[in-house]
PDB file of all heavy atoms in Angstrom:
ATOM      1  N   ALA A 219     -15.662  -6.007 -14.110  1.00 98.00           N
ATOM      2  CA  ALA A 219     -16.167  -6.417 -15.426  1.00 98.00           C
ATOM      3  C   ALA A 219     -16.902  -5.261 -16.102  1.00 98.00           C
ATOM      4  O   ALA A 219     -16.724  -5.029 -17.312  1.00 98.00           O
ATOM      5  CB  ALA A 219     -17.083  -7.628 -15.277  1.00 98.00           C
ATOM      6  N   GLU A 220     -17.721  -4.543 -15.338  1.00 98.00           N
ATOM      7  CA  GLU A 220     -18.447  -3.408 -15.914  1.00 98.00           C
ATOM      8  C   GLU A 220     -17.480  -2.317 -16.347  1.00 98.00           C
ATOM      9  O   GLU A 220     -17.627  -1.726 -17.428  1.00 98.00           O
ATOM     10  CB  GLU A 220     -19.442  -2.853 -14.904  1.00 98.00           C
ATOM     11  CG  GLU A 220     -20.215  -1.645 -15.417  1.00 98.00           C
ATOM     12  CD  GLU A 220     -21.186  -1.069 -14.402  1.00 98.00           C
ATOM     13  OE1 GLU A 220     -21.420  -1.718 -13.372  1.00 98.00           O
ATOM     14  OE2 GLU A 220     -21.710   0.038 -14.659  1.00 98.00           O
ATOM     15  N   TRP A 221     -16.495  -2.033 -15.501  1.00 98.00           N
ATOM     16  CA  TRP A 221     -15.503  -1.009 -15.836  1.00 98.00           C
ATOM     17  C   TRP A 221     -14.747  -1.400 -17.117  1.00 98.00           C
ATOM     18  O   TRP A 221     -14.569  -0.563 -18.013  1.00 98.00           O
ATOM     19  CB  TRP A 221     -14.525  -0.849 -14.675  1.00 98.00           C
ATOM     20  CG  TRP A 221     -13.544   0.279 -14.832  1.00 98.00           C
ATOM     21  CD1 TRP A 221     -13.707   1.569 -14.446  1.00 98.00           C
ATOM     22  CD2 TRP A 221     -12.217   0.194 -15.405  1.00 98.00           C
ATOM     23  NE1 TRP A 221     -12.575   2.303 -14.730  1.00 98.00           N
ATOM     24  CE2 TRP A 221     -11.658   1.487 -15.319  1.00 98.00           C
ATOM     25  CE3 TRP A 221     -11.472  -0.838 -15.967  1.00 98.00           C
ATOM     26  CZ2 TRP A 221     -10.371   1.773 -15.787  1.00 98.00           C
ATOM     27  CZ3 TRP A 221     -10.190  -0.557 -16.442  1.00 98.00           C
ATOM     28  CH2 TRP A 221      -9.653   0.729 -16.341  1.00 98.00           C
ATOM     29  N   ASP A 222     -14.324  -2.646 -17.193  1.00 98.00           N
ATOM     30  CA  ASP A 222     -13.608  -3.123 -18.389  1.00 98.00           C
ATOM     31  C   ASP A 222     -14.442  -2.918 -19.644  1.00 98.00           C
ATOM     32  O   ASP A 222     -13.926  -2.479 -20.683  1.00 98.00           O
ATOM     33  CB  ASP A 222     -13.263  -4.609 -18.250  1.00 98.00           C
ATOM     34  CG  ASP A 222     -12.096  -4.850 -17.294  1.00 98.00           C
ATOM     35  OD1 ASP A 222     -11.331  -3.908 -17.035  1.00 98.00           O
ATOM     36  OD2 ASP A 222     -11.963  -5.992 -16.821  1.00 98.00           O
ATOM     37  N   LYS A 223     -15.729  -3.231 -19.564  1.00 98.00           N
ATOM     38  CA  LYS A 223     -16.596  -3.136 -20.747  1.00 98.00           C
ATOM     39  C   LYS A 223     -16.782  -1.686 -21.186  1.00 98.00           C
ATOM     40  O   LYS A 223     -16.690  -1.377 -22.381  1.00 98.00           O
ATOM     41  CB  LYS A 223     -17.957  -3.763 -20.466  1.00 98.00           C
ATOM     42  CG  LYS A 223     -18.884  -3.762 -21.690  1.00 98.00           C
ATOM     43  CD  LYS A 223     -20.224  -4.364 -21.400  1.00 98.00           C
ATOM     44  CE  LYS A 223     -21.060  -4.473 -22.684  1.00 98.00           C
ATOM     45  NZ  LYS A 223     -21.170  -3.166 -23.390  1.00 98.00           N
ATOM     46  N   VAL A 224     -17.044  -0.798 -20.226  1.00 98.00           N
ATOM     47  CA  VAL A 224     -17.244   0.608 -20.574  1.00 98.00           C
ATOM     48  C   VAL A 224     -15.977   1.197 -21.183  1.00 98.00           C
ATOM     49  O   VAL A 224     -16.029   1.883 -22.212  1.00 98.00           O
ATOM     50  CB  VAL A 224     -17.675   1.420 -19.335  1.00 98.00           C
ATOM     51  CG1 VAL A 224     -17.746   2.917 -19.668  1.00 98.00           C
ATOM     52  CG2 VAL A 224     -19.036   0.942 -18.836  1.00 98.00           C
ATOM     53  N   ILE A 225     -14.836   0.928 -20.564  1.00 98.00           N
ATOM     54  CA  ILE A 225     -13.574   1.447 -21.081  1.00 98.00           C
ATOM     55  C   ILE A 225     -13.301   0.879 -22.478  1.00 98.00           C
ATOM     56  O   ILE A 225     -12.895   1.613 -23.397  1.00 98.00           O
ATOM     57  CB  ILE A 225     -12.404   1.115 -20.134  1.00 98.00           C
ATOM     58  CG1 ILE A 225     -12.589   1.836 -18.794  1.00 98.00           C
ATOM     59  CG2 ILE A 225     -11.071   1.488 -20.769  1.00 98.00           C
ATOM     60  CD1 ILE A 225     -12.613   3.344 -18.874  1.00 98.00           C
ATOM     61  N   ALA A 226     -13.524  -0.418 -22.676  1.00 98.00           N
ATOM     62  CA  ALA A 226     -13.302  -1.037 -23.978  1.00 98.00           C
ATOM     63  C   ALA A 226     -14.205  -0.422 -25.045  1.00 98.00           C
ATOM     64  O   ALA A 226     -13.757  -0.179 -26.178  1.00 98.00           O
ATOM     65  CB  ALA A 226     -13.531  -2.542 -23.886  1.00 98.00           C
ATOM     66  N   ASP A 227     -15.455  -0.159 -24.698  1.00 98.00           N
ATOM     67  CA  ASP A 227     -16.387   0.445 -25.661  1.00 98.00           C
ATOM     68  C   ASP A 227     -15.952   1.855 -26.045  1.00 98.00           C
ATOM     69  O   ASP A 227     -15.990   2.230 -27.228  1.00 98.00           O
ATOM     70  CB  ASP A 227     -17.798   0.469 -25.072  1.00 98.00           C
ATOM     71  CG  ASP A 227     -18.425  -0.911 -24.980  1.00 98.00           C
ATOM     72  OD1 ASP A 227     -17.887  -1.853 -25.598  1.00 98.00           O
ATOM     73  OD2 ASP A 227     -19.446  -1.046 -24.270  1.00 98.00           O
TER      74      ASP A 227
END
Side-chain angles (χ1 to χ4, degrees):
E220 179 181 349
W221 186 89
D222 285 340
K223 183 181 186 306
V224 174
I225 295 299
D227 289 347

